[in-house]
Amino acid sequence: MPIPDFQSIMLPFLEFSNDGNEHTTREAVGFLANEFGLSELEREELLPSGTQRIFENRVSWTKTHLLKAGLLESSRRAYFKRTERGRKVLEQRLPKINIAFLRQFPEYVDFQSPKRDENGTAEINHPNDEVSTQTPDETLDSVYQSIRKTLSQDLLSKIVSLSPAFFEKLVVELLVKMGYGGSIKDAGKAIGKSGDEGIDGTIKEDKLGLDVIYIQAKKWAPGNVVGRPELHKFVGALAGQGAKKGVFITTSSFTREARDYAPRNETKIVLIDGEELTQLMIDYNLGVTVQQTYEIKRIDNDYFDE
């Protein structure tokens, strides 16, 4: 089944705590994963940022909402237990608990609406909370990925508009930023001349130059996909240089046959399409600048140890 959203977890979470004992979030995660019949893959699925498991994140935020509503309490560090209010809510045998239900509790309204107007009245503004399926972490991740995708598309459009020589230079600079060879001067060069046998550049595999990686850079429009014949030519060019390693980078994409192609000899080829290229440029800060940085912070429980 799909991973449940954090509001769907609220009632089962509170029911889990109804024995009145202390529990940890880890215990709740294990119990609820079994309760919802999640597979191992679903339990391990990560947020787009790759920083946390989706289900664990949702369970953690569920606990936060129940704590803020006074249905749970932090009995001691890293532990929680059901409150008397939580017991009374369960006695109502509700079909579900969600954000709309929790707003009946003043503490929860304060949690959701910390800003107050001139008269001291809480300003409430949650138009989609009743149907929200994302935790704040998931919303932040989603917005970040959307911004990143737009930047990736803009980068690709910019690259396609420039000369093939600039693209070949860009590719070498990117590989240097990724750790190949050290400096631009020592690491690689863009060839890009007639009679290069399909080789557009070279890059040293390491700072000592123990091996050389050959580069093919195809600046094609996104609609023109790179097929298997182009890879055959590249492998032939590598053989002509006595080379075993190559990187084929394009601003377009590869056909399925090209992706599935594996040379029968010891030659190793890495394929990077336009989407992957721009994502790497963003990761390694090539052609982009940092506009704004946000830090997400959590309590350092070790600091508060007595």
Side-chain angles (χ1 to χ4, degrees), residues 47-117:
L47 293 170
S49 63
T51 58
Q52 192 176 5
R53 294 180 180 89
I54 292 176
F55 186 65
E56 289 183 5
N57 177 263
R58 293 180 181 179
V59 171
S60 179
W61 275 105
T62 296
K63 185 185 77 171
T64 296
H65 282 262
L66 296 178
L67 284 168
K68 297 301 182 181
L71 306 186
L72 300 176
E73 64 180 356
S74 296
S75 50
R76 56 192 173 102
R77 180 184 169 187
Y79 284 82
F80 65 87
K81 63 185 297 187
R82 187 217 63 212
T83 63
E84 181 63 17
R85 177 184 288 177
R87 184 188 65 80
K88 290 180 179 179
V89 166
L90 287 173
E91 285 181 348
Q92 298 177 41
R93 300 195 176 279
L94 300 167
K96 65 180 179 180
I97 294 175
N98 56 20
I99 288 174
F101 175 82
L102 297 180
R103 287 205 196 110
Q104 67 183 285
F105 305 114
E107 305 95 323
Y108 187 76
V109 173
D110 288 342
F111 159 65
Q112 282 209 307
S113 310
K115 296 182 180 179
R116 296 180 177 275
D117 61 21

Side-chain angles (χ1 to χ4, degrees), residues 125-192:
N125 181 26
H126 358 261
N128 298 313
D129 278 348
E130 285 81 358
V131 296
S132 174
T133 60
Q134 291 189 320
T135 67
D137 292 316
E138 289 177 288
T139 300
L140 186 61
D141 260 15
S142 177
V143 171
Y144 169 74
Q145 293 299 330
S146 177
I147 294 172
R148 187 179 172 109
K149 183 175 182 179
T150 300
L151 175 58
S152 172
Q153 293 169 341
D154 291 344
L155 269 175
L156 194 56
S157 296
K158 188 72 173 177
I159 295 168
V160 171
S161 71
L162 298 173
S163 68
F166 183 91
F167 178 55
E168 292 164 8
K169 175 175 169 288
L170 178 154
V171 165
V172 172
E173 289 182 2
L174 175 61
L175 292 173
V176 170
K177 279 184 170 288
M178 293 173 66
Y180 291 93
S183 69
I184 288 291
K185 178 180 178 181
D186 298 330
K189 61 180 179 179
I191 299 174

Side-chain angles (χ1 to χ4, degrees), residues 156-157 160 219-226 251-253:
L156 194 56
S157 296
V160 171
K219 190 185 77 69
W220 283 3
N224 298 323
V225 296
V226 177
T251 51
S252 61
S253 58

